[in-house]
Amino acid sequence: MVREFKLPDVGEGVAEGELLEWHVQPGDTVEEDQVVAEVETDKAVVDVPSPVNGTVRELLAEPGEVVPVGTVIITFDVEGEPVTESDQDATADTETAAVSEESATETESEEAVAEESSGTESSVNGQGGRIFAAPSARRLARELGVDIAAVDGSGPGGRVTEADVRAAAEGGEAADAGSDGGGKQLKSAVSRIGDDEGDGASGDGQSGDSGGLKSAVSRIDDGDTGGSADASAGGAGAAAQSIEAAGRERTLAAPATRNLADELGVDIDDVPTDEMRDGEPYVDEAAVREYAEAQKQAQAADAEALANAERAGEAGPPTTTAESGAGPDAVEASEGDRREPYRGVRKTIGEAMERSKFTAPHVTHHDKVDATALVELREKLKPRAEERGVKLTYMPFVMKAVAAALAEHPVLNTQLDEENGEIVYKADHNVGVATATDAGLMVPVVKDVDGKGLLQLASETNELVSKARERSIAREEMQGGTFTITNFGAIGGEYATPIINYPETAILGLGAIEERPMAVDGEVVARDVLTLSLSIDHRVVDGADAARFVNTLKEYLEDPTLLLLE
């Protein structure tokens, strides 16, 4: 039997994921819990396991495709499974295909056997031949109601592409519009009004001497004749109408259709449609593309009309970026520039940074500390830690010092509950460690820092940082932080202005430990100096609070033996 597998909810709040890689191919035998794919969400990269023992039947998503949670991405052939409604449909399709195969010629049958043995994905058309189609083209055909077996493929070897499916869908709509059958049909007309089309051709009173391109999206029912029909017949003097948004409050649409609307900048509730499902308006991808194209043509018409008016000396309002067909924040790319999608983990990081910076008023307090004793103590303990299989860095010392300073200055271990108008003083000391990864900055959180020793902190921190860089860290391992440390000095740097990991109220930046001249007992000597940059949310933490916290932190770092008392 056929078992459909939908993209699972791989984390709370995750609505979609980008398919990075398939680990299986159609025909492969899989076991339950075997990894079949890698998916990147806006949190991390996760492995998707097989839910059953069986054989891979079909892959319904391609690498690089963003798939909403709940969308079927793969199907399996499983023995002993109960027959479901979808299984019965699949069985019926298989039986129909078998009948078509029997009606094929012997040569075609031999070719079909050869194709099956090579593992190439194919299907049988109504003429007894075989066609090839990518999983994305098959899915699109199902969404648009197109019989993929009737589509002529333009790809290599006659492979059916998404463009072929869309062309078939548009061709079917055109045929339906030209028939005498009942029902309403969504139509789009784009016509050029030239000098020879006469005055008064446009219903809005525009004269024919300005030569603008106009676009119309209109509903045509059984009683619609005249101007619109004449326009579809290609007659001169056809009336061009302005685009009117539907403005519905609710619209039914497939997840892929909604994603397409977002990509094209279209409000799906504005897309005209006469199709109804369960008593609600239903919009498909073809309608979204048609409406988006109509908008684009209308914008181009406006720009062209304005240019014509300016050339004729009739100055109009200045053209904005939006009027020219691009968004106000669009970036023009020059030759040699490279673009890559802004999504997934990178987009999540950007949105979090934006929210923090524009929500919490940031103030950064800078200072430096004589870390000579800290350097000496770490060098002394480093071999002992290596004997126990632990790499000892400066981070565990700083984390312990931060926890001790937070105990004395709890206002920096807080979160602002804006909804209830309260400052929440956190009981736990959970320290996040900002980590640079290929996908951007991640913040694994070490819990209960104040209750752990240096070696345990070092071991846990190293493990979490490694998992973050390998993109295998769990979502819960990056949650629950109360204070964050970022070590930009590991890359090179002295001072910075770190952005707070909202909704926390403080973040500590560490510069590089370097030898610098310092005055000690009236003499200038070389000392190991660590620079500190503490950013605070000034709504909750005052500058004096920040200074006192840093002074306490310096005491522990200048004499790390004090940490033995913690």
Side-chain angles (χ1 to χ4, degrees), residues 394-395 398 433-434 436 441 469 485-498 508-514 516 529-533:
Y394 292 109
M395 184 59 71
V398 177
V433 180
L441 202 64
R469 288 175 176 159
I485 301 174
T486 177
N487 183 18
F488 50 82
I491 302 174
E494 188 173 359
Y495 293 102
T497 55
L508 177 66
L510 305 178
I513 298 179
E514 297 179 346
R516 302 176 188 272
V529 176
L530 169 64
T531 53
L532 306 174
S533 300

Side-chain angles (χ1 to χ4, degrees), residues 42-81:
D42 58 356
K43 306 298 180 184
V45 173
V46 296
D47 293 331
V48 177
S50 169
V52 295
N53 296 324
T55 304
V56 177
R57 181 184 182 89
E58 188 176 12
L59 306 180
L60 301 177
E62 295 184 341
E65 184 176 348
V66 177
V67 183
V69 169
T71 301
V72 178
I73 60 173
I74 186 173
T75 59
F76 302 92
D77 287 325
V78 183
E79 293 185 3
E81 287 282 321

Side-chain angles (χ1 to χ4, degrees), residues 288-562:
V288 171
R289 294 184 186 278
E290 188 173 32
Y291 182 67
E293 181 64 23
Q295 287 184 314
K296 183 178 178 181
Q297 295 289 353
Q299 290 169 345
D302 291 341
E304 183 177 350
L306 181 60
N308 291 338
E310 290 176 347
R311 284 195 294 269
E314 302 174 3
T319 304
T320 65
T321 307
E323 289 172 342
S324 64
D329 298 324
V331 177
E332 294 185 3
S334 304
E335 184 177 356
D337 292 351
R338 180 172 62 87
R339 289 179 178 267
E340 61 180 34
Y342 178 57
R343 64 190 182 202
V345 175
R346 168 53 60 190
K347 185 176 181 181
T348 300
I349 293 171
E351 291 172 347
M353 293 292 183
E354 180 183 23
R355 181 186 181 193
S356 176
K357 192 64 176 178
F358 287 99
T359 301
H362 283 55
V363 172
T364 304
H365 177 88
H366 299 291
D367 209 333
K368 58 181 178 291
V369 56
D370 183 348
T372 304
L374 174 62
V375 172
E376 292 175 351
L377 180 60
R378 184 238 180 188
E379 290 299 320
K380 181 179 180 180
L381 298 178
K382 185 178 176 181
R384 295 288 187 93
E386 291 177 350
E387 289 176 2
R388 301 187 186 185
V390 178
K391 180 181 179 181
L392 184 62
T393 65
Y394 292 109
M395 184 59 71
F397 294 94
V398 177
M399 294 170 70
K400 287 292 292 183
V402 162
L406 288 176
E408 297 185 35
H409 307 279
V411 71
L412 279 88
N413 197 49
T414 56
Q415 294 181 5
L416 179 58
D417 184 347
E418 298 180 62
E419 183 175 348
N420 295 311
E422 297 174 337
I423 299 174
V424 181
Y425 287 77
K426 308 298 289 185
D428 297 326
H429 292 165
N430 300 334
V431 178
V433 180
T435 304
T437 72
D438 292 339
L441 202 64
M442 294 187 178
V443 187
V445 177
V446 181
K447 308 292 176 62
D448 302 320
V449 171
D450 52 332
K452 296 176 180 176
L454 287 175
L455 289 184
Q456 185 177 0
L457 288 177
S459 178
E460 289 187 18
T461 302
N462 294 341
E463 180 182 359
L464 288 172
V465 168
S466 296
K467 291 169 72 175
R469 288 175 176 159
E470 295 169 0
R471 307 291 299 280
S472 61
I473 190 167
R475 186 168 183 264
E476 56 270 18
E477 292 174 318
M478 296 190 291
Q479 294 178 320
T482 63
F483 187 96
T484 298
I485 301 174
T486 177
N487 183 18
F488 50 82
I491 302 174
E494 188 173 359
Y495 293 102
T497 55
I499 296 179
I500 298 168
N501 189 18
Y502 190 83
E504 298 170 13
T505 56
I507 182 172
L508 177 66
L510 305 178
I513 298 179
E514 297 179 346
E515 276 195 343
R516 302 176 188 272
M518 291 192 71
V520 179
D521 296 331
E523 295 183 5
V524 177
V525 296
R527 306 288 287 181
D528 292 308
V529 176
L530 169 64
T531 53
L532 306 174
S533 300
L534 177 71
S535 290
I536 57 172
D537 182 345
H538 215 338
R539 297 174 302 173
V540 178
V541 184
D542 293 332
D545 296 323
R548 295 188 188 100
F549 172 84
V550 171
N551 289 338
T552 302
L553 181 64
K554 289 170 60 177
E555 292 179 8
Y556 285 106
L557 294 178
E558 288 176 346
D559 185 4
T561 57
L562 295 176

Side-chain angles (χ1 to χ4, degrees), residues 152-382:
D152 293 329
S154 61
R159 188 177 184 84
V160 175
T161 65
E162 291 186 40
D164 297 330
V165 174
R166 291 193 179 96
E170 293 171 0
E173 290 176 358
D176 292 341
S179 67
D180 294 331
K184 296 182 179 180
Q185 180 69 28
L186 181 66
K187 293 290 293 179
S188 176
V190 178
S191 59
R192 180 175 294 278
I193 303 176
D195 296 340
D196 58 343
E197 292 183 340
D199 296 336
S202 174
D204 57 9
Q206 178 179 340
S207 61
D209 57 0
S210 62
L213 182 66
K214 298 293 290 181
S215 175
V217 176
S218 60
R219 300 175 184 273
I220 301 177
D221 58 20
D222 296 341
D224 284 339
T225 58
S228 298
D230 294 339
S232 64
Q241 304 173 10
S242 60
I243 300 175
E244 294 184 2
R248 294 180 298 274
E249 294 183 357
R250 175 180 170 84
T251 302
L252 299 182
T257 303
R258 295 187 182 277
N259 288 339
L260 176 63
D262 290 340
E263 293 173 3
L264 297 179
V266 170
D267 185 344
I268 202 164
D269 291 327
D270 286 342
V271 179
T273 182
D274 290 307
E275 185 173 352
M276 305 291 289
R277 292 193 180 181
D278 298 328
E280 297 281 355
Y282 177 82
V283 170
D284 57 18
E285 285 193 14
V288 171
R289 294 184 186 278
E290 188 173 32
Y291 182 67
E293 181 64 23
Q295 287 184 314
K296 183 178 178 181
Q297 295 289 353
Q299 290 169 345
D302 291 341
E304 183 177 350
L306 181 60
N308 291 338
E310 290 176 347
R311 284 195 294 269
E314 302 174 3
T319 304
T320 65
T321 307
E323 289 172 342
S324 64
D329 298 324
V331 177
E332 294 185 3
S334 304
E335 184 177 356
D337 292 351
R338 180 172 62 87
R339 289 179 178 267
E340 61 180 34
Y342 178 57
R343 64 190 182 202
V345 175
R346 168 53 60 190
K347 185 176 181 181
T348 300
I349 293 171
E351 291 172 347
M353 293 292 183
E354 180 183 23
R355 181 186 181 193
S356 176
K357 192 64 176 178
F358 287 99
T359 301
H362 283 55
V363 172
T364 304
H365 177 88
H366 299 291
D367 209 333
K368 58 181 178 291
V369 56
D370 183 348
T372 304
L374 174 62
V375 172
E376 292 175 351
L377 180 60
R378 184 238 180 188
E379 290 299 320
K380 181 179 180 180
L381 298 178
K382 185 178 176 181

